[in-house]
Amino acid sequence: MRGKNAGEPLRVGFVGSGFIAHFHLRSLIGVRDVVVTGVYSPTAAKRRAFADECARLDLGDCRAHDSLESLCCADDVDALWVLSPNNTRLDVMRTLHDCITGGRSRIFAVACEKPLARTIPEAREMLRLAEAAELNHGYLENQVFSTAVERGKEIIWRRAVPATGRPYLARAAEEHAGPHEPWFWRGDLQGGGVLSDMMCHSVEVARYMLTSPGGDRSELAFKAANGTVANLKWTRPAYARALQQRMGNEVDYLKRPAEDFARGNLIMADPDGNEVIIEATTSWSYVGAGLRINLEMFGPEYAMEFSSINAPLKVFMSREVTGSEGEDLVEKQNAEQGLMPVLDDEAGIYGYTGENRHMVQHFRAGTVPIETFHDGLAVVEMLMALYCSAEQERVIRPEEVDLSGFVPAVARPA
């Protein structure tokens, strides 16, 4: 695989300039040997603001491109970070593939934000296009690179596993009060509801914790899925109206809801044939300090626990302290008064700094990252099994059900 010469930075182009793109941009402050040289998104003002923010952070001379093809064919871009909405990512890969195979692009690596795609056929095509264009590819699953996950997994597998055996249970939960942008709430654009949006995190970080250090995620064989979805909050008339007022008329949860709560159990088998379980819970109906991530792992004689909002830093604001709403203390912040946790380094705690450092290092060296489009495809396969299980109200075993053409009910045409 192609890479960069020693001393040369990786030159990255961003597709997308929304919330997650800015999160990635801020995380790059903690990454060496990288510059951001280009950005494309459909809205000129947003891509210009992104380029200005890049300059303010001293992350490179970022040029705002007026077309995706212009970005893909720029002579100062080595790798593409695909951070646009879920329904656009396959078209982004098609354009990149065409530019490379047509000899118009010098890009040699691509990284895609979670989830890789909305369905199994889309995910397979994302992978096919990347490999047909001979691209090094990385799947951007930030929780795998969370500082707590990396440290906790290292300790467990070094000290506890050799003495008593492999872990057999991982629990992962991610909850907040709802996404930022209208397209997230639309099953046809996003690919589903909270299960698609957030359980992709939970499934993969749990699978990673249960995988041996340096091992491929495929060492755990997927055996069965049992999923549940529900609408707990946002289909209530008052909240549905409030959501529409905030997001616009294109979001109507009274007519086209997507689930705001999901729970999934995945049965796996480890290399010795022992049963291993992943328990995942995700919600857009959680109201607390803000985004809450809980991760746990258990084995014969040990346990590991992490909660993102059990932060060592807290602040208290009395009712006399007033001000505008924001997310300056924690992502998806729900209050500005009271006793509140503060995440002093969200990009590091959530894993964005670590994942981008990892991708940059491997793309520069021309080596394969630990998370690739193959992993993104595996995650989509498990999510579709969970959706199918929830719809059919039974356990789904992949060898018994053909999910290759399955589309979740909330993502099907009206």
Side-chain angles (χ1 to χ4, degrees):
M1 291 182 179
R2 288 171 55 196
K4 299 289 291 186
N5 294 326
E8 292 182 348
L10 186 75
R11 301 171 299 177
V12 172
F14 274 44
V15 181
S17 58
F19 173 81
I20 196 64
H22 279 272
F23 223 124
H24 278 278
L25 187 65
R26 291 195 301 274
S27 78
L28 290 176
I29 296 171
V31 179
R32 298 176 59 185
D33 302 316
V34 63
V35 291
V36 181
T37 53
V39 61
Y40 167 73
S41 68
T43 306
K46 287 186 176 181
R47 60 181 182 255
R48 183 66 260 167
F50 183 92
D52 291 344
E53 179 69 0
C54 184
R56 188 186 72 81
L57 296 174
D58 196 24
L59 288 171
D61 184 11
C62 180
R63 181 156 51 108
H65 292 261
D66 59 8
S67 73
L68 176 60
E69 185 167 348
S70 173
L71 175 64
C72 291
C73 296
D75 60 6
D76 61 350
V77 176
D78 302 313
L80 214 60
W81 258 235
V82 181
L83 309 170
S84 56
N86 298 4
N87 61 302
T88 69
R89 292 176 187 171
L90 185 52
D91 285 337
V92 170
M93 281 302 301
R94 285 171 176 152
T95 297
L96 178 58
H97 169 273
D98 290 347
C99 290
I100 292 171
T101 57
R104 303 188 306 279
S105 176
R106 298 181 181 180
I107 290 173
F108 58 82
V110 60
C112 183
E113 177 64 18
K114 65 78 195 172
L116 183 64
R118 298 175 296 177
T119 63
I120 293 171
E122 282 190 4
R124 287 174 177 167
E125 183 65 1
M126 292 282 286
L127 174 59
R128 187 196 71 80
L129 289 167
E131 298 199 329
E134 298 183 349
L135 287 163
N136 197 354
H137 46 87
Y139 176 54
L140 294 171
E141 175 40 69
N142 58 282
Q143 289 185 22
V144 164
F145 299 91
S146 163
T147 50
V149 170
E150 290 189 326
R151 180 66 171 139
K153 176 178 176 175
E154 187 275 328
I155 293 171
I156 291 293
W157 280 87
R158 174 171 52 84
R159 298 191 59 177
V161 174
T164 65
R166 294 177 65 107
Y168 42 60
L169 173 63
R171 294 193 182 114
E174 183 175 10
E175 304 171 290
H176 58 62
H180 292 91
E181 298 292 336
W183 67 268
F184 279 101
W185 299 87
R186 288 184 50 182
D188 57 330
L189 300 181
Q190 196 250 109
V194 72
L195 193 155
S196 172
D197 177 40
M198 290 166 58
M199 199 168 284
C200 54
H201 282 309
S202 304
V203 164
E204 188 63 353
V205 70
R207 198 168 67 127
Y208 173 72
M209 291 191 295
L210 293 168
T211 303
S212 61
D216 190 272
R217 235 69 69 236
S218 62
E219 76 179 30
L220 299 179
F222 173 38
K223 295 297 185 180
N226 189 2
T228 301
V229 298
N231 292 101
L232 300 180
K233 176 179 179 178
W234 294 105
T235 50
R236 298 186 179 195
Y239 285 106
R241 288 192 294 269
L243 180 63
Q244 190 171 50
Q245 289 173 358
R246 194 165 82 245
M247 295 291 164
N249 289 332
E250 62 182 298
V251 177
D252 188 342
Y253 250 48
L254 292 178
K255 293 182 179 179
R256 285 296 304 271
E259 76 279 353
D260 62 14
F261 175 87
R263 175 163 289 170
N265 282 358
L266 296 168
I267 310 299
M268 320 288 282
D270 71 16
D272 298 321
N274 298 312
E275 191 167 85
V276 174
I277 294 177
I278 292 172
E279 293 183 356
T281 303
T282 52
S283 174
W284 287 342
S285 52
Y286 167 77
V287 178
L291 171 64
R292 180 173 71 171
I293 301 170
N294 289 332
L295 303 173
E296 299 173 295
M297 181 167 65
F298 304 93
E301 298 290 341
Y302 52 85
M304 166 187 149
E305 300 177 13
F306 165 73
S307 176
S308 64
I309 59 173
N310 285 344
L313 176 61
K314 292 180 173 64
V315 298
F316 174 79
M317 304 285 184
S318 82
R319 63 177 62 94
E320 301 301 321
V321 180
T322 60
S324 59
E325 294 183 4
E327 296 184 32
D328 56 328
L329 306 183
V330 62
E331 184 186 343
K332 307 296 191 301
Q333 187 175 324
N334 285 314
E336 278 66 46
Q337 295 173 328
L339 182 63
M340 293 172 290
V342 180
L343 297 188
D344 54 315
D345 179 18
E346 282 188 307
I349 291 169
Y350 293 156
Y352 290 98
T353 302
E355 81 172 342
N356 283 321
R357 181 182 298 120
H358 179 85
M359 295 299 170
V360 167
Q361 289 174 344
H362 281 276
F363 289 168
R364 289 185 71 246
T367 53
V368 178
I370 65 168
E371 289 282 326
T372 71
F373 282 17
H374 291 283
D375 299 297
L377 169 58
V379 169
V380 173
E381 289 172 340
M382 288 184 281
L383 296 184
M384 292 304 105
L386 289 168
Y387 268 119
C388 185
S389 170
E391 288 186 25
Q392 297 188 12
E393 297 182 337
R394 67 184 181 93
V395 173
I396 295 296
R397 302 183 189 281
E399 72 275 10
E400 298 173 354
V401 180
D402 181 8
L403 295 172
S404 59
F406 179 79
V407 177
V410 294
R412 295 169 198 158

